[in-house]
Amino acid sequence: MASLTPIDFGTPKRESETQITLEIDGQSVTVAEGTSIMRAALESGIGVPKLCASDNLEPYGSCRLCLVEIEGRKGYPASCTTQAADGMQVRTASDKLNQLRRGVVELYMSDHPGASRVAGEQGGSGDDELLELARDLGVTENRYVKDPRDHQDAVIDTSNPYFDFDATRCIVCSRCVRACDEVQGTFALTVDGRGFASMISAGTDSDDFLSSECVSCGACIQACPTEALIEKDVVEQGMPDRIEKTTCAYCGVGCSFNAELKGDDVIRMVPAKEGKANHGHSCVKGRFAWGYTHHPDRITSPMIRNKITDPWREVGWEEAIDFAVGRINGIRDQYGRAALGAITSSRCTNEETYLMQKTARAVFGTNNVDTCARVCHSPTGYGMSNTFGTSAGTQDFDSIEHCDVVLVIGSNPTDAHPVFASQMKRRLRAGAKLIVVDPRAIDLVRSPHIQADYHLQLRPGTNVALVNAMAHTILEEGLENRPFVEERCDLDEYEGWREFILRPENSPEATEQYTGVPAASVRAAARLYATGGNAGIYYGLGVTEHSQGSTMVMGMANLCMATGNIGRPGVGLNPMRGQNNVQGSCDMGSFPHEYPGYRHLSMTEVRENYQKEWNVELDPEPGLRIPNMIDAAIEGTFKAIYIQGEDILQSDPNIKHIAAGLKAMECVIVQDLFLNETASYAHVFLPGSTFLEKDGTFTNAERRINRVRKIQTAPAGYADWEITQMLARALGYPMHYAHASEIMDEIARTTPTFAGVSFDKINALGSVQWPCNEAHPEGTPVMHVGTFVRGKGKFMLTPFVPTDERANRKFPLLLTTGRILSQYNVGAQTRRTANGLWHGEDVLEIHPADAEMRGIKDGTLVAVASRMGETTLHAKISERMTPGVVYTTFHFPETAANVVTTEYSDWATECPEYKVTAVEVTPSHTMSEWQQRYIETRERQQRIDEAEQQPVRSPETVAEGVDAGHK
């Protein structure tokens, strides 16, 4: 791919303390031992032609274009596979080398159409490095007759919605095959046939790319040196001519991308090689699924209505803001400020989230502010702050390269965090051991060249029993790291925990009755974790979304401390955050009991600092969490909510209860891209902006703060922070930020862990990981080195308490939920892309034995009923499940899986227990009555009256107009 991105050095960078010096074309060059001649030359600015080589792949030496001459050595060795040596004298250009290269290019061109497919590139090289080389080498004619065995009659494979495979342009250099193997780790591609018949295949002869094992990560396209693999948008719209760097707005990996544009139009998104979270790799969502940004469903004008049964009416910004201000002020005057609240977004930037919580506290006058982390990783914050002293992951992603034992608990990285999963798989293929704890056989349990050493397939809801049993084994067998504990941890707390863990009820034999995992397997896995070298824990929502989510986080932290697996590369406790800025939304003070930086409202000095900064009196009492807001609304004491970029009616549990709460409110303001499910109950809709339409920062799962850069203007005219500022100013509070960077400056001024963060620093370094302050001016890749943030590590008691949600005769199965690769969260973005070709509906995975017992076949429409509600979806017979456990996703509102989930939640944080719901599954012939009513209600309450499009005006003008009206 002839991208606009930085130079490709042909072979990977080698690390060595030994430096060697050689001469290339008369120039003295010094490189690390093990560096290829090709890389040494390219790093020195000396060009070497190549087609099969790429610096993210191991050298292959097939194209024979990078030949060089070496003094004293016969022949013409390939510079990609030949290591530089001390004193070596190399020539990269000579008449003989040019002759050889022209001959090779002629052979390639004899089985090539000879022209680019890209629009507007007639006579040019387009996206084809071979055509570019032919031009540079002066290959204008071909001495070789077209062979009847060539590939020029091959049909272009257009099956994939995002890219084409054109075998007529393929030179079988195997770069795509190697990228699929070495970078992605899917092993979906191969070379079929021999000699002239050789060609790239995505599986068997009958497979096309869409039906193959290809996961559309884009690594093969990025690797392809011709236009054999090319994005459809490039073919149709032409080559991009400039780039803007930004950050993906999907999962918590936080991949860096180069948005490649032609004029103002994004042509393609190319993962940035310099991205410190993704190192030039991507997944199907970040690489391709950004088309939602210009989907016709985008709401581009503000809308208001008096009642939720009225149709929406498009209005201008002034009228919408004025309407919202009137409702908010009326409610505050009648019911008091406690009747108001806000929900921040984990999809918006740090700056926008900071402004939302500031608006709640300084403008509304309430601490009734919460975020979607309430329903995902709030137990992470509670558990890690109590044990370690801070509420975030301990490692950077590259720590996995030093890991000897990988313990994955309640996480499905290949689907939820695929780019990091590829890095993890590379380490596993290199020899690291793997323990998977999950009720479902996720891909990591067994995939190409990877097999878990232990898969502890426990019953949902028994995590704590299992982690206690592992700890019991470690202590009973004397495998703990006593010197580490004595040096780094509170010994009194440790002794109390030790006494508790060694009780008989915590042994693997005693807990087997709860977990269903054989005691011998638990003991073997515990021994491996404690003695196998550097051991890192990677966990997800299968840990936190339980009634004992906080307990489990503390249990894992106890394991880390007891074995000394904390405070250095290759170890640690790593929460795999689900959304692009869920870490940032927590960092920015989105919880009702904390200011930014996880500082409690009761900390007088902190509160006084914000009072001085914001020039208001702040309430010292914690506010309401999301579930409390809904309960209070039903009770009649909570009346207005401002929701930015979250769809609680689809994402939160027991959605009948959520709907009742929203319906009881007098003012629901939704700020989003599309009319989401929650908007059915809204009175004001404010059209938001995508990641391409704003400046700011996201913070990923490794605490890495990455820049988001404005590439286009939002259809409605404003970034989300500008809309919040307009509302705050109209309510009488002075907010006058001219750019998102000024908001970050305020964050740095008031938040110690962000004290050294600025847009200028991020622009200079690429990214920084907090804490970034005077002690760590360039950030902190690994936390708790030498000492814990809290001082001494604190062991916490973790008694196992079985959940109240249990299978019974009426509801004999346990439902657990999760995500799938091609879809994201509630699906608002990915459902509006071609990703629906892979996963167009939520399905129910059920074990063959459970299916047979109920007369269910693959594809049968089934009803899933719990004591809370009922929905229908199609069944998928799967041996991934254990008997008695079923699984589904929550990406589609028509399924609304959360109508069956319960009100049970984590004891400390009220994080819902999504992962354990007792259900029964039966064949069905139609949608449930609730689904039919729900769809009818949505259609009725999302009607829009056609109106004249309102003009876009600047935020300053709108705010001034509203101010003047209120005066």
Side-chain angles (χ1 to χ4, degrees):
M1 184 179 78
S3 173
L4 297 169
T5 50
I7 188 170
D8 187 322
F9 293 103
T11 61
K13 185 176 182 179
R14 303 305 186 192
E15 301 291 343
S16 175
E17 294 181 1
T18 303
Q19 299 291 298
I20 58 102
T21 299
L22 69 160
E23 184 182 286
I24 305 178
D25 293 346
Q27 180 176 329
S28 180
V29 177
T30 300
V31 294
E33 187 176 43
T35 300
S36 70
I37 292 175
M38 174 182 283
R39 187 173 186 108
L42 289 165
E43 284 183 353
S44 302
I46 300 168
V48 178
K50 62 187 186 321
L51 286 175
C52 74
S54 181
D55 57 17
N56 65 342
L57 303 172
E58 290 301 314
Y60 195 60
S62 70
C63 75
R64 313 310 296 171
L65 280 165
C66 70
L67 308 179
V68 294
E69 296 173 342
I70 301 174
E71 191 71 31
R73 186 178 298 189
K74 293 182 179 179
Y76 305 93
S79 62
C80 64
T81 55
T82 306
Q83 290 186 10
D86 205 44
M88 183 181 275
Q89 293 181 311
V90 178
R91 285 185 298 277
T92 67
S94 68
D95 291 342
K96 183 59 178 178
L97 288 172
N98 285 338
Q99 178 189 1
L100 292 170
R101 288 166 182 163
R102 281 194 295 270
V104 171
V105 170
E106 276 189 85
L107 280 169
Y108 282 137
M109 292 297 293
S110 71
D111 192 11
H112 187 282
S116 171
R117 284 184 66 205
V118 175
E121 289 291 324
Q122 290 75 17
S125 57
D127 208 27
D128 195 316
E129 296 172 35
L130 175 58
L131 290 176
E132 190 175 340
L133 268 176
R135 181 195 63 203
D136 293 346
L137 291 170
V139 179
T140 56
E141 297 180 358
N142 204 300
R143 295 169 294 169
Y144 302 99
V145 178
K146 294 282 185 179
D147 193 285
R149 295 170 295 177
D150 66 19
H151 304 94
Q152 295 310 296
D153 294 331
V155 177
I156 298 175
D157 180 353
T158 61
S159 61
N160 190 286
Y162 298 120
F163 64 86
D164 295 340
F165 172 57
D166 183 355
T168 68
R169 300 169 187 275
C170 179
I171 61 172
V172 199
C173 66
S174 294
R175 265 170 70 169
C176 60
V177 177
R178 290 147 56 212
C180 190
D181 296 354
E182 296 176 27
V183 178
Q184 169 58 28
T186 297
F187 294 82
L189 306 181
T190 189
V191 178
D192 272 355
R194 301 180 65 181
F196 280 102
S198 299
M199 64 183 300
I200 301 299
S201 172
T204 66
D205 290 340
S206 62
D207 285 331
D208 55 25
F209 267 81
L210 184 63
S211 61
S212 73
E213 294 297 312
C214 169
V215 293
S216 298
C217 68
C220 59
I221 302 167
Q222 198 159 344
C224 183
T226 68
E227 292 174 4
L229 286 159
I230 188 170
E231 300 94 336
K232 294 178 187 290
D233 284 346
V234 173
V235 172
E236 295 166 5
Q237 299 180 53
M239 289 295 291
D241 51 34
R242 65 187 180 94
I243 64 170
E244 292 286 348
K245 294 186 183 298
T246 192
T247 303
C248 179
Y250 279 116
C251 78
V253 174
C255 295
S256 297
F257 274 88
N258 291 321
E260 298 196 353
L261 299 96
K262 185 176 185 180
D264 292 330
D265 296 326
V266 178
I267 302 299
R268 62 184 172 195
M269 299 290 287
V270 178
K273 285 167 55 175
E274 66 273 19
K276 296 177 183 176
N278 59 315
H279 303 294
H281 191 36
S282 60
C283 79
V284 63
K285 294 189 288 290
R287 187 72 154 83
F288 297 116
W290 44 270
Y292 69 90
T293 61
H294 51 259
H295 193 278
D297 285 353
R298 281 285 298 270
I299 302 299
T300 59
S301 295
M303 301 189 298
I304 60 174
R305 57 185 175 184
N306 286 313
K307 303 189 301 292
I308 61 173
T309 53
D310 294 341
W312 284 106
R313 180 168 62 89
E314 291 188 354
V315 297
W317 279 103
E318 266 186 46
E319 186 174 352
I321 296 294
D322 193 42
F323 182 89
V325 167
R327 287 281 176 111
I328 291 169
N329 282 337
I331 289 168
R332 184 162 49 189
D333 291 345
Q334 183 175 356
Y335 300 101
R337 63 189 185 184
L340 308 175
I343 298 177
T344 74
S345 175
S346 292
R347 291 187 284 124
C348 288
T349 65
N350 286 315
E351 295 73 19
E352 289 163 339
T353 303
Y354 176 87
L355 227 55
M356 279 290 289
Q357 63 85 31
K358 179 178 178 178
T359 297
R361 293 185 163 111
V363 184
F364 292 178
T366 178
N367 289 312
N368 295 339
V369 61
D370 209 351
T371 185
C372 87
R374 173 67 51 214
V375 299
C376 60
H377 269 287
S378 51
T380 287
Y382 184 90
M384 294 181 74
S385 63
N386 273 280
T387 51
F388 298 159
T390 193
S391 303
T394 64
Q395 316 294 121
D396 62 357
F397 288 147
D398 286 350
S399 176
I400 193 74
E401 304 295 341
H402 306 278
C403 194
D404 301 307
V405 179
V406 180
L407 174 53
V408 177
I409 307 180
S411 176
N412 185 6
T414 56
D415 280 27
H417 305 90
V419 173
F420 175 67
S422 292
Q423 189 175 12
M424 179 183 285
K425 288 190 289 185
R426 285 197 295 275
R427 179 62 192 141
L428 293 171
R429 292 197 301 273
K433 302 296 184 181
L434 175 64
I435 304 167
V436 174
V437 179
D438 201 293
R440 187 167 170 260
I442 62 174
D443 283 350
L444 279 181
V445 171
R446 187 179 180 87
S447 58
H449 302 282
I450 293 171
Q451 182 165 350
D453 295 88
Y454 300 99
H455 177 205
L456 309 184
Q457 202 162 8
L458 76 176
R459 294 190 186 105
T462 62
N463 287 338
V464 174
L466 182 74
V467 78
N468 285 348
M470 291 182 69
H472 182 98
T473 301
I474 290 167
L475 295 184
E476 185 182 61
E477 299 184 10
L479 305 179
E480 72 272 29
N481 189 333
R482 185 74 190 199
F484 179 90
V485 171
E486 291 177 352
E487 179 187 351
R488 298 282 305 274
C489 303
D490 185 313
L491 281 179
D492 290 338
E493 299 286 357
Y494 169 74
E495 292 299 340
W497 173 76
R498 179 182 177 84
E499 184 277 328
F500 160 76
I501 283 293
L502 286 174
R503 293 175 188 171
E505 62 265 28
N506 289 319
S507 70
E509 290 72 23
T511 57
E512 183 176 339
Q513 63 178 313
Y514 302 109
T515 67
V517 181
S521 298
V522 175
R523 287 189 177 276
R527 292 183 195 113
L528 178 58
Y529 175 79
T531 65
N534 288 338
I537 298 177
Y538 295 86
Y539 72 94
L541 305 185
V543 162
T544 56
E545 292 179 345
H546 285 276
S547 61
Q548 282 201 287
S550 293
T551 310
M552 180 60 180
V553 173
M554 293 187 290
M556 295 185 299
N558 291 340
L559 270 190
C560 291
M561 292 186 290
T563 57
N565 280 305
I566 190 79
R568 66 181 185 277
V571 297
L573 187 56
N574 304 278
M576 302 306 295
R577 301 280 186 166
Q579 296 196 59
N580 55 297
N581 200 38
V582 68
Q583 179 67 60
S585 70
C586 299
D587 298 342
M588 292 299 103
S590 294
F591 290 132
H593 66 289
E594 289 177 335
Y595 292 122
Y598 306 98
R599 293 166 295 165
H600 200 274
L601 301 182
S602 62
M603 299 171 71
T604 304
E605 183 180 352
V606 175
R607 187 172 66 256
E608 289 176 349
N609 285 341
Y610 279 109
Q611 288 179 160
K612 181 179 179 182
E613 179 74 36
W614 296 344
N615 197 29
V616 292
E617 193 74 21
L618 295 174
D619 187 348
E621 294 300 320
L624 300 177
R625 299 166 172 173
I626 293 173
N628 310 138
M629 296 183 203
I630 298 300
D631 291 343
I634 293 172
E635 293 167 1
T637 59
F638 187 85
K639 294 293 183 178
I641 192 166
Y642 175 21
I643 305 173
Q644 183 185 75
E646 292 296 339
D647 191 1
I648 62 172
L649 190 59
Q650 188 179 343
S651 64
D652 285 32
N654 190 5
I655 59 179
K656 291 181 183 178
H657 185 65
I658 300 292
L662 292 169
K663 188 176 181 180
M665 297 182 201
E666 296 178 11
C667 179
V668 175
I669 303 170
V670 169
Q671 184 171 316
D672 217 311
L673 306 176
F674 307 102
L675 271 179
N676 58 22
E677 304 308 299
T678 303
S680 296
Y681 293 87
H683 306 87
V684 180
F685 188 93
L686 305 176
S689 56
T690 72
F691 76 112
L692 295 176
E693 301 156 358
K694 64 183 71 176
D695 283 296
T697 57
F698 294 151
T699 305
N700 74 352
E702 52 172 355
R703 298 168 283 102
R704 187 179 301 283
I705 307 166
N706 273 313
R707 281 280 278 115
V708 181
R709 292 177 174 87
K710 183 176 179 179
I711 295 168
Q712 301 167 333
T713 299
Y718 309 126
D720 289 286
W721 68 266
E722 293 176 302
I723 298 170
T724 302
Q725 177 167 268
M726 281 195 288
L727 180 62
R729 289 181 59 186
L731 285 164
Y733 184 86
M735 273 191 195
H736 300 284
Y737 305 102
H739 190 267
S741 61
E742 297 176 7
I743 306 173
M744 177 53 77
D745 292 342
E746 182 175 316
I747 294 167
R749 218 167 35 241
T750 57
T751 310
T753 49
F754 278 68
V757 179
S758 67
F759 278 29
D760 287 343
K761 177 172 283 188
I762 298 171
N763 291 341
L765 299 179
S767 63
V768 295
Q769 290 174 268
W770 68 259
C772 178
N773 47 33
E774 190 175 342
H776 305 281
E778 295 191 357
T780 310
V782 177
M783 296 281 285
H784 314 296
V785 177
T787 185
F788 288 99
V789 170
R790 72 180 308 278
K792 295 289 188 181
K794 185 177 182 180
F795 285 86
M796 301 291 291
L797 300 188
T798 55
F800 170 59
V801 179
T803 174
D804 290 333
E805 181 71 4
R806 303 176 191 180
N808 52 46
R809 278 190 290 181
K810 186 174 182 181
F811 302 111
L813 304 174
L814 289 179
L815 170 70
T816 190
T817 61
R819 300 183 180 187
I820 200 160
L821 172 64
S822 59
Q823 296 292 339
Y824 170 72
N825 200 261
V826 297
Q829 294 151 269
T830 44
R831 281 187 282 110
R832 291 175 170 89
T833 71
N835 281 22
L837 282 174
W838 289 284
H839 190 77
E841 61 177 329
D842 294 321
V843 297
L844 185 81
E845 290 188 17
I846 184 170
H847 189 272
D850 291 326
E852 184 178 7
M853 187 185 304
R854 291 164 174 78
I856 294 169
K857 297 181 179 179
D858 202 58
T860 298
L861 184 68
V862 296
V864 181
S866 73
R867 59 185 177 82
M868 305 305 296
E870 180 180 319
T871 190
T872 58
L873 63 172
H874 290 97
K876 180 180 180 180
I877 311 301
S878 173
E879 293 192 355
R880 287 180 182 267
M881 310 309 302
T882 52
V885 179
V886 293
Y887 169 90
T888 191
T889 52
F890 58 96
H891 303 302
F892 290 82
E894 295 77 16
T895 303
N898 281 325
V899 73
V900 302
T901 51
T902 73
E903 76 282 9
Y904 290 131
S905 62
D906 175 52
W907 62 271
T909 65
E910 293 189 80
C911 180
E913 190 173 43
Y914 292 109
K915 303 305 183 189
V916 187
T917 303
V919 298
E920 178 57 294
V921 179
T922 56
S924 180
H925 300 290
T926 185
M927 289 190 296
S928 69
E929 290 184 18
W930 177 85
Q931 280 176 296
Q932 295 177 37
R933 289 196 307 270
Y934 179 82
I935 292 172
E936 291 169 3
T937 299
R938 183 177 62 177
E939 291 177 352
R940 183 175 63 252
Q941 293 179 189
Q942 291 194 355
R943 291 171 298 144
I944 302 175
D945 268 358
E946 295 297 328
E948 185 177 345
Q949 183 72 31
Q950 300 294 320
V952 173
R953 295 171 59 193
S954 74
E956 295 293 321
T957 306
V958 173
E960 288 168 5
V962 175
D963 288 344
H966 282 285
K967 290 175 184 174

